[in-house]
């Protein structure tokens, strides 16, 4: 079959499109300082490991990765929890305001985030939460709730009500119905929403720049933004740091990609 | 139930928060990540040892002047009492002074003390008769050139810009190396573009704006002529078009890879260009003052960083103790020796240790003394953005109508400058 | 159900607290400030209510109008292209072949790299001397090398490329999920009727995929209208202001220039642009987006 014959081509085209730019950066991380800006570029690196050493030791990369992991995990857990409660209520109780609330969430996710960074900073300052994990996590929860609630709502609405209704008749409380019946059924949706929120938070730069100035708490995007000196651009260290920092996410997506795809197909798209 | 549940979930988050407790008095210093961290760590340890009971806490921002400005002004506009001392780029003191953010330092930093510093950076820190910052180190534009190539073709370093263009073209024609270019500088649309263009504009007798009349001057013939020179002779003839996207690192990389005859940069480039690890032209590099236009004088833009104290600090006296320690001759000497940055204190240019380790400072001293600060005004950033847009549009488009772009930029600047006439200042 | 009303409000309350405090209040502040003239560097001018003046200035500000054009061009090129590329990738990834799981994971790599990092990466790749693009196009012939970030037109293309690379896989993911909901029986029935591959795609795949395609387009449009990180890291709006998108202009006004009122007005305009486009899409998606689908 001609389709089968085309398979290697798919691999090259799609794999190349996704990977080549990043692989170029990976190769860069193994070059020597003078080789990085060689004209014309040199493909084969000298396998110099100095930039990894420097990124880890002089720039404290692992600390930034740890902070990002803490912040992203906490944000994901809390917003998925709060988001499920809201999404459950919004899909199960057909009240006059539920549709309005969903629309409101969608609308606020359209407002430019940079424009609200100032007021958010002031609130955190009032609470004394600048330079704390709970401060950045609280701001991120608000940023990711619309995404989480929307994805979860599209999943929940597809789940059969009958099982819950039976459980409620049997004397289950609403909480038990959500916890024991709906959540397990919606597991793929929870995974999808979690990974979307996690990556969204993992990538966020501007809020973190303003809110986290204590070097012990700064996250990865801010950390890498701190690499360039006043007049220097440490491409080698940035490339090494990006390579290291991307690995956990690649592993994470490898583990979750089946669930993500399966998850979305379970509900979101049927609309 | 769900409420208590979410509170229960938030609890560990609250407990995770770091505790900034302690009996000592704390000074918060907002700084960028140092290129020579050991010097700073040591200095802060020394300060804490000399001042028992005082602890210096550093908050770290990015090195990019624009990003750092976002961070510091965010704290200042919200009157954050937590920040005591901060770094200021040489273009900020007027803005910070007018906004009521920086503390006037006159009672700590009397004229006699200021006299020990170079004149230009002190001027840059002075706004309406009061001083707002203490210069820590300075920068000034320099011309770097390939000693070997110039010698090979019988040239001496150019005194004027047309001479530089002619030499570059001659070297390019004779060297027959398709990879070699004539000149690299910083022409991306960012603050560095102002630094570069100001050297041509002022060198040609023009001005960025008229600070007394509060009027834009970009449309004047001297300015238009200088901009046209850059577009047609520098970018058009001897520079690769890539310089239109270059900041300092890319422009230096081109020179350090041996692909440019001439290069405009700050003093830091000397060390890198002569380091065989990072440069392919180590030992073949010369440095001199920037060229002038025929009949004019060479202009070099002043850069550098200062320490300021927040007006919202609750302990300005302690903050001053820290600022004065960090800007002391001892500290500036360390920064010069180990960081390679040019001190703001005059006396250090006669210091034997410094001259031994950094002999190039001797040649650079005249440039440092004569370096020209960008004009001081509280509305510098909006003016700079208009100028960046103008300069970039004028030189990036081969057939730009420079006169008409200049007229409209000048009008835009008039409108911003008009704001300074409004209302009565305290 | 009175109980339901109460339970529902309890469930929504935690999310509402965060949204009120960290989203609604700040957005309200931006709206309010957009009616004031407030310049941080000139505190003696005070905070003066100016009504619609900021919006009036915005309409007559050639820089704002140019950046509006750039933004709309960016959205018009990237969002549909990302959906088309995402669709092609999804169609391939929906076929069964050896190594499909790995290829699916590889496709997600661009999306998992923080934007500030991928922007630096593209800046490096687009360098006019040591960048990969030039080496790819011209090999060792360095005299032919282009400077993509130095030419106004090419710089716009460069940021579009970086955006398309990063987010096509996001569209692919949503579309792939949509593809998997199409029952195989439909294709089998069509095969029996002797339909060609194109006919199957045209009559079965596309119509059933419409909701997924529109959802991907909606997300990409909202995001592209607010593009910021790419410009911030790669071009700072230059050269010749060619990549000065609206959101970046608003950032400069608010944070760099301290023109809070004017900057807020720009944010509000970006918001309404998003809102109008989204409502348009939701109209196309149909009101059913919130309803339970018929089984």
């Amino acid at each position: 079959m001609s389709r089968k014959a085309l398979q290697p081509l798919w691999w090259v085209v799609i794999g190349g499109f996704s990977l080549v730019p990043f692989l170029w950066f990976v190769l860069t991380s193994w070059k020597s300082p003078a080789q990085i800006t060689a004209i014309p570029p040199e493909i084969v690196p000298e396998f110099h490991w100095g930039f990894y050493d420097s990124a880890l030791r002089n720039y404290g990369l692992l600390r930034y990765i740890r902070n990002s992991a803490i912040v992203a995990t906490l944000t994901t857990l809390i917003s998925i929890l709060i988001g499920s409660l809201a999404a459950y209520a919004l899909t199960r109780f057909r009240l006059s305001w539920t549709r309005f609330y969903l629309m409101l969430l969608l609308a606020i996710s359209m407002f430019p985030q940079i424009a609200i960074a100032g007021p958010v900073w002031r609130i955190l300052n009032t609470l004394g939460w600048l330079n704390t994990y709970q401060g950045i996590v609280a701001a991120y929860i608000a940023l990711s709730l619309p995404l989480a609630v929307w994805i979860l709502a599209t999943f929940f609405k597809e789940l059969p009500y009958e099982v819950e209704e039976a459980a409620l008749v049997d004397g289950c409380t609403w909480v038990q119905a959500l916890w024991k019946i709906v959540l397990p059924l919606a597991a793929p949706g929870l995974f999808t929403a979690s990974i979307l929120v996690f990556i969204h938070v993992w990538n966020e730069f501007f809020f973190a720049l303003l809110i986290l100035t204590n070097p012990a708490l700064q996250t990865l995007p801010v950390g890498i933004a701190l690499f360039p000196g006043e007049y220097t651009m440490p491409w080698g260290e940035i490339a090494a740091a990006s390579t290291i920092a991307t690995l956990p996410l690649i592993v994470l997506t490898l583990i979750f990609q089946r669930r993500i795809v399966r998850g979305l197909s379970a509900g979101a798209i049927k609309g | 139930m769900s409420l208590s549940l979410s509170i229960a979930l938030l609890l560990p988050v609250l407990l995770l928060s770091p505790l900034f407790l302690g009996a000592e008095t704390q000074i918060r210093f907002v700084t960028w990540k140092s290129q020579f961290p050991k010097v700073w760590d040591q200095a802060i340890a020394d300060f804490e040892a000399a001042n028992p009971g005082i602890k210096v806490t550093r908050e770290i921002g990015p090195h990019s002047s624009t990003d750092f400005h976002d961070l510091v002004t965010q704290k200042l506009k919200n009157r954050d009492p937590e920040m005591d001392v901060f770094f200021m780029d040489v273009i900020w003191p007027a803005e910070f002074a007018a906004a009521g953010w920086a503390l006037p330092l006159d009672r700590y930093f009397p004229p006699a003390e200021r006299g020990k510093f170079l004149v230009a950076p002190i001027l840059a820190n002075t706004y309406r008769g009061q001083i707002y910052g203490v210069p820590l180190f300075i920068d000034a534009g320099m011309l770097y050139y390939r000693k070997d190539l110039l010698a090979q073709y019988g040239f001496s370093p150019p005194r004027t810009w047309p001479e530089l263009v002619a030499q570059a073209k001659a070297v390019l024609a004779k060297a027959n190396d398709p990879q070699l270019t004539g000149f690299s500088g910083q022409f991306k649309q960012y603050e560095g573009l102002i630094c570069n263009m100001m050297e041509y504009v002022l060198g040609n007798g023009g001005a960025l704006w008229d600070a007394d009349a509060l009027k834009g001057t970009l449309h004047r013939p001297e300015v238009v002529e200088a901009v046209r020179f850059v577009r047609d002779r520098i970018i058009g003839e001897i520079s690769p078009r890539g310089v239109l996207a270059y900041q300092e690192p890319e422009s230096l990389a081109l020179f350090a890879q041996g692909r440019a005859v001439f290069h405009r940069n700050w003093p830091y480039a000397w060390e890198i260009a002569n380091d065989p690890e990072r440069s392919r032209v180590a030992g073949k590099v010369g440095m001199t003052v920037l060229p002038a236009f025929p009949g004019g004088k060479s202009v070099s833009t002043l850069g550098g960083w200062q320490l300021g104290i927040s007006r919202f600090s609750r302990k300005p006296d302690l903050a001053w103790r820290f600022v004065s320690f960090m800007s002391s001759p001892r500290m500036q000497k360390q920064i010069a020796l180990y960081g390679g940055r040019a001190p703001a204190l005059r006396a250090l240019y006669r210091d034997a240790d410094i001259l031994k380790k950094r002999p190039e400072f001797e040649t650079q001293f005249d440039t440092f003394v004569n370096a020209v600060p960008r004009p001081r005004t509280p509305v510098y950033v909006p003016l700079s953005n208009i100028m960046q847009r103008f300069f970039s549009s004028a030189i990036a488009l081969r057939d730009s109508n420079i006169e008409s772009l200049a007229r409209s930029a000048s009008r835009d600047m008039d409108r911003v400058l008009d704001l300074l006439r409004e209302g009565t200042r305290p | 159900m009175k109980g339901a009303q109460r339970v529902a409000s309890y469930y929504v309350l935690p999310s509402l607290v965060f949204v009120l405090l960290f989203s609604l209040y700040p957005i309200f502040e931006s709206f309010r400030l957009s009616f004031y003239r407030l310049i941080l560097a000139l505190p003696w001018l005070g905070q003066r209510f100016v009504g619609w003046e900021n919006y009036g200035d915005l309409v007559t500000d050639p820089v704002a109008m140019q950046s509006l054009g750039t933004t709309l061009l960016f959205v018009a090129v990237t969002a549909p292209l990302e959906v088309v590329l995402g669709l092609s990738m999804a169609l391939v990834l929906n076929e069964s072949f050896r190594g499909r799981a790995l290829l699916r994971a590889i496709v997600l790599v661009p999306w998992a790299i923080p934007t500030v990092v991928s922007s630096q990466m593209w800046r490096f790749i687009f360098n006019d001397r040591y960048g990969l693009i030039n080496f790819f196009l011209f090999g060792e012939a360095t005299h032919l090398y282009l400077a993509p970030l130095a030419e106004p037109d090419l710089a716009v293309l460069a940021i579009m490329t970086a955006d398309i690379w990063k987010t096509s896989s996001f569209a692919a993911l949503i579309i792939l999920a949509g593809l998997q909901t199409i029952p195989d029986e439909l294709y089998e029935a069509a095969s029996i009727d002797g339909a060609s591959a194109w006919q199957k795609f045209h009559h079965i795949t596309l119509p059933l995929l419409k909701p997924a395609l529109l959802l991907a387009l909606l997300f990409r449009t909202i995001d592209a209208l607010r593009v910021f990180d790419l410009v911030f890291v790669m071009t700072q709006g230059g050269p010749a202001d060619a990549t000065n998108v609206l959101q970046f202009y608003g950032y400069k006004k608010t944070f760099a220039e301290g023109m809070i009122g004017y900057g807020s007005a720009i944010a509000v305009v970006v918001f309404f642009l998003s809102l109008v486009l989204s409502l348009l899409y939701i109209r196309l998606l149909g009101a059913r987006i919130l309803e339970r689908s018929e089984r």
Side-chain angles (χ1 to χ4, degrees):
Chain A
M1 268 168 69
S2 64
R3 272 185 168 192
K4 282 264 184 281
L6 284 174
Q7 269 178 26
L9 194 70
W10 300 141
W11 259 96
V12 172
V13 171
I14 296 183
F17 173 82
S18 304
L19 269 190
V20 165
F22 181 62
L23 283 182
W24 177 243
F25 224 34
V26 176
L27 287 179
T28 301
S29 68
W30 285 314
K31 290 179 182 174
S32 68
Q35 206 191 359
I36 283 183
T37 54
I39 307 165
E42 294 168 11
I43 299 281
V44 183
E46 291 169 11
F47 290 99
H48 162 102
W49 287 91
F51 291 130
Y52 283 87
D53 190 55
S54 166
L56 291 169
R57 248 186 262 202
N58 304 341
Y59 291 89
L61 178 67
L62 290 181
R63 194 180 62 226
Y64 298 130
I65 294 181
R66 189 201 63 199
N67 289 334
S68 267
I70 293 174
V71 168
T73 308
L74 285 174
T75 306
T76 308
L77 287 178
I78 300 172
S79 33
I80 295 302
L81 184 94
I82 298 178
S84 325
L85 289 174
Y88 183 67
L90 297 177
T91 49
R92 283 300 179 267
F93 309 107
R94 325 210 125 238
L95 305 169
S96 48
W97 48 270
T98 51
R99 194 185 157 86
F100 171 76
Y101 190 64
L102 264 175
M103 282 303 172
L104 182 77
L105 285 177
L106 186 67
I108 61 176
S109 74
M110 290 171 203
F111 204 84
Q113 288 176 1
I114 285 158
I116 63 170
V120 167
W121 192 96
R122 279 196 289 280
I123 296 167
L124 292 177
N125 191 27
T126 314
L127 295 171
W129 279 10
L130 290 173
N131 275 318
T132 61
Y133 285 131
Q134 71 266 32
I136 191 82
V137 167
Y140 281 168
I141 291 173
L143 288 188
S144 39
L145 267 175
L147 187 72
V149 172
W150 263 78
I151 292 173
L152 292 168
T154 50
F155 275 95
F156 287 176
K157 76 180 163 69
E158 296 298 329
L159 298 174
Y161 294 170
E162 298 77 21
V163 192
E164 284 163 74
E165 278 160 11
L168 288 170
V169 171
D170 289 348
C172 251
T173 65
W174 287 106
V175 176
Q176 284 168 328
L178 171 63
W179 189 253
K180 292 199 175 140
I181 296 163
V182 179
L183 288 189
L185 281 175
L190 293 176
F191 276 116
T192 308
S194 301
I195 196 106
L196 282 167
V197 168
F198 190 93
I199 290 185
H200 181 66
V201 171
W202 183 269
N203 285 345
E204 205 286 332
F205 169 68
F206 198 71
F207 275 53
L209 174 72
L210 295 182
I211 294 171
L212 303 172
T213 48
N214 178 350
L217 299 175
Q218 278 162 335
T219 55
L220 184 74
V222 177
I224 294 187
L226 297 183
F227 277 29
E230 189 180 7
Y231 300 133
T232 51
M233 188 45 130
W235 287 120
E237 277 92 350
I238 292 179
S242 311
T243 308
I244 299 175
T246 306
L247 285 178
L249 278 188
I250 291 180
V251 172
L252 206 68
T253 39
L254 258 174
I255 295 171
F256 285 112
Q257 61 102 3
R258 288 185 148 268
R259 293 188 191 279
I260 297 171
V261 170
R262 240 195 256 146
L264 271 177
S265 63
I269 308 306
K270 283 186 184 159
Chain B
M1 171 118 191
S2 60
L3 253 187
S4 53
L5 189 65
S6 48
I7 288 169
L9 268 151
L10 273 171
L11 257 181
V13 186
L14 294 168
L15 292 175
L16 267 174
S17 69
L19 302 167
F20 294 117
L21 296 177
E24 331 140 287
T25 317
Q26 202 180 172
I27 297 176
R28 255 176 207 267
F29 174 33
V30 177
T31 172
W32 22 247
K33 189 186 183 97
S34 175
Q35 298 292 95
F36 28 100
K38 282 191 192 121
V39 176
W40 284 91
D41 293 347
Q42 188 57 48
I44 286 175
D46 290 353
F47 175 77
E48 286 174 347
N51 296 273
I54 300 181
K55 167 123 182 53
V56 178
T57 306
R58 273 176 286 183
E59 295 193 18
I60 309 282
H63 233 305
S64 144
S65 170
T66 325
D67 300 4
F68 195 74
H69 182 267
D70 292 351
L71 185 69
V72 173
T73 56
Q74 180 66 23
K75 290 172 180 293
L76 290 168
K77 72 190 178 197
N78 291 294
R79 304 166 167 263
D80 180 7
E82 297 293 318
M83 175 172 68
D84 301 297
V85 178
F86 50 82
F87 260 121
M88 277 192 289
D89 195 347
V90 72
I91 46 185
W92 303 343
E95 177 194 358
F96 286 18
W101 293 339
L103 187 75
L105 304 176
D106 296 71
R107 73 191 149 111
Y108 303 113
F109 192 31
E113 280 298 309
R114 293 176 220 169
K116 296 178 182 164
F117 287 76
L118 295 171
V119 177
I122 289 294
L123 206 64
N125 281 287
T126 309
Y127 180 70
R128 293 169 80 87
Q130 288 185 298
I131 184 113
Y132 290 88
V134 183
L136 201 54
F137 52 81
I138 66 161
D139 260 336
M142 310 290 302
L143 181 72
Y144 294 81
Y145 59 91
R146 287 283 298 281
K147 259 189 327 204
D148 56 331
L149 288 177
L150 258 53
Q152 188 183 341
Y153 299 106
F155 293 120
S156 51
R159 298 286 185 78
T160 68
W161 288 110
E163 207 183 319
L164 179 143
V165 174
Q167 289 188 4
K169 288 179 76 173
V171 172
L172 291 182
K174 290 175 192 159
N176 196 23
D177 171 0
Q179 305 208 6
L180 191 65
T181 64
F183 180 79
S184 90
Q186 301 86 40
F187 294 98
K188 178 178 170 171
Q189 185 173 338
Y190 80 121
E191 184 57 36
L193 179 63
I194 307 290
C195 301
N196 277 251
M197 292 305 293
M198 189 174 115
E199 290 164 349
Y200 299 91
V201 168
L202 269 60
N204 200 37
L208 296 182
W209 71 84
D210 183 335
D212 298 320
L214 297 180
K215 278 286 176 197
T217 54
L218 294 180
H219 59 287
R220 295 205 184 140
E222 316 84 82
V223 181
V224 171
E225 195 181 59
V227 174
R228 179 166 291 127
F229 180 87
V230 173
R231 185 191 69 183
D232 295 345
R233 309 292 313 277
I234 302 280
I235 314 270
E237 290 190 31
I238 57 172
S239 280
R241 285 190 61 79
V243 294
L244 293 166
Y246 282 2
Q247 294 185 198
E248 286 86 352
E250 298 94 336
S251 65
L252 175 57
L254 190 69
F255 185 70
Q257 288 286 349
R259 312 290 197 210
V261 185
F262 296 107
H263 174 49
R264 182 267 178 214
N265 210 328
W266 311 100
Y268 84 96
W270 179 254
E271 192 172 341
I272 297 178
N274 279 307
D275 173 2
E277 275 269 295
R278 290 178 284 179
S279 163
R280 295 188 176 171
V281 292
K284 301 177 190 165
V285 179
M287 179 173 53
T288 182
V289 294
L290 285 166
F293 280 104
K297 63 182 176 53
S298 155
V299 173
S300 176
T301 301
L302 177 81
W305 288 81
Q306 0 283 316
L307 290 172
I309 297 178
S310 165
R311 193 189 280 260
F312 312 108
S313 164
R314 294 202 193 95
K315 37 215 159 186
D317 292 348
L318 279 187
W320 171 257
R321 223 194 286 173
F322 179 65
V323 168
S324 118
F325 184 90
M326 295 313 272
S327 56
S328 64
R330 200 186 77 120
M331 190 57 202
Q332 298 210 4
K333 183 170 170 177
Q334 296 279 309
I335 294 176
L337 283 177
Y338 302 106
R341 307 303 300 263
L345 283 161
R346 287 162 186 280
L348 292 179
Y349 290 91
R350 294 187 300 272
D351 184 284
D353 300 333
I354 292 183
L355 289 180
K356 189 160 161 250
K357 180 123 192 252
R358 307 267 169 206
E360 70 273 16
F361 280 173
E362 200 155 14
T363 19
Q364 291 169 335
F365 184 67
D366 282 344
T367 313
F368 292 146
V369 171
N370 295 316
V372 186
R374 281 153 278 176
R376 281 165 293 152
T377 170
V379 286
Y380 181 78
V381 184
L383 292 175
S384 168
N385 283 335
I386 295 170
M387 292 188 291
Q388 288 173 34
R389 198 170 295 131
F390 161 64
F391 287 133
S392 184
S393 307
I395 63 176
L397 304 164
R398 291 187 185 84
D399 51 355
S400 60
N401 184 340
I402 299 179
E403 281 86 356
S404 122
L405 288 170
R407 271 196 305 274
S408 101
S410 209
R411 268 199 308 273
D412 290 346
M413 291 175 76
D414 285 348
R415 256 200 302 279
V416 172
L417 287 163
D418 277 343
L419 293 169
L420 295 174
R421 294 178 222 267
E422 282 181 46
T424 36
R425 294 190 218 191
Chain C
M1 283 200 286
K2 250 194 206 144
Q5 184 77 264
R6 222 183 57 225
V7 173
S9 7
Y10 281 169
Y11 280 18
V12 168
L13 197 62
S15 66
L16 190 64
V17 169
F18 282 97
V19 166
L20 271 179
L21 203 55
F22 296 106
S23 292
L24 278 180
Y25 163 73
I27 291 173
F28 172 78
E29 266 298 283
S30 285
F31 270 95
R32 192 180 66 83
L33 287 170
S34 73
F35 295 105
Y36 285 83
R37 191 178 75 169
L38 171 56
I39 302 167
L40 291 179
L42 308 173
W44 57 88
L45 298 182
Q47 179 174 332
R48 189 157 60 82
F49 181 79
V50 292
W52 295 96
E53 193 182 289
N54 287 324
Y55 293 94
D57 289 350
L58 201 53
V59 177
T60 53
D61 175 354
V63 180
M65 287 301 114
Q66 194 200 321
S67 64
L68 173 66
T70 310
T71 310
L72 292 179
L73 178 72
F74 183 84
V75 174
V77 172
T78 59
L81 217 63
E82 281 158 9
V83 172
V84 169
L85 272 173
L87 173 64
S88 328
M89 289 202 257
L91 286 173
V92 171
L93 292 175
N94 199 37
E95 299 279 313
S96 62
F97 55 87
R98 198 137 43 101
R100 181 175 71 165
L102 185 62
L103 194 58
R104 279 187 183 175
I106 284 175
V107 160
L108 294 182
V109 166
W111 183 47
I113 300 173
T115 319
V116 268
V117 176
S118 66
S119 312
Q120 290 287 17
M121 188 185 86
W122 281 101
R123 207 179 134 200
F124 185 65
I125 290 174
F126 282 125
N127 183 282
D128 69 316
R129 297 283 128 181
Y130 45 83
L132 179 66
I133 292 277
N134 275 310
F135 189 63
F136 184 72
L137 291 175
F138 305 110
E140 313 254 310
T142 52
H143 59 286
L144 293 175
Y145 279 17
L146 292 170
L149 296 176
E151 308 288 349
D153 299 337
L154 293 180
V156 178
L157 273 179
I159 58 164
M160 286 173 174
T161 308
D163 192 68
I164 290 168
W165 178 76
K166 176 148 172 71
T167 46
S168 289
S169 52
F170 175 80
L173 190 76
I174 291 182
I175 295 167
L176 180 57
L179 276 175
Q180 294 179 329
T181 63
I182 302 177
D184 287 341
E185 299 82 43
L186 287 180
Y187 292 108
E188 284 157 17
S191 297
I192 292 166
D193 292 345
S196 69
W198 167 253
Q199 282 171 328
K200 279 189 258 180
F201 177 73
H202 189 69
H203 294 290
I204 301 173
T205 315
L206 268 190
L208 289 175
L209 210 51
K210 207 175 104 194
L213 290 172
L214 285 172
L215 197 67
L217 193 62
L218 174 74
F219 279 132
R220 288 313 315 143
T221 304
I222 293 180
D223 245 28
L225 270 170
R226 300 184 300 176
V227 56
F228 169 77
D229 292 14
L230 280 173
V231 173
F232 182 77
V233 175
M234 284 175 71
T235 62
Q236 287 281 316
D241 232 26
T243 58
N244 186 15
V245 291
L246 212 45
Q247 171 76 315
F248 184 72
Y249 189 52
Y251 150 79
K252 269 196 161 175
K253 284 287 168 198
T254 313
F255 279 92
E257 300 184 8
M259 308 247 177
I260 304 295
Y262 198 67
S264 302
I266 296 175
V268 170
V269 167
V270 173
F271 169 69
F272 275 109
L273 276 176
S274 268
L275 197 66
V276 167
L277 280 174
S278 305
L279 286 177
L280 202 74
Y281 288 148
I282 286 178
R283 213 145 236 169
L284 295 170
L285 266 167
R288 280 194 305 146
I289 192 164
L290 292 175
E291 310 301 325
R292 199 177 145 105
S293 55
E294 300 307 317
R295 283 162 189 278

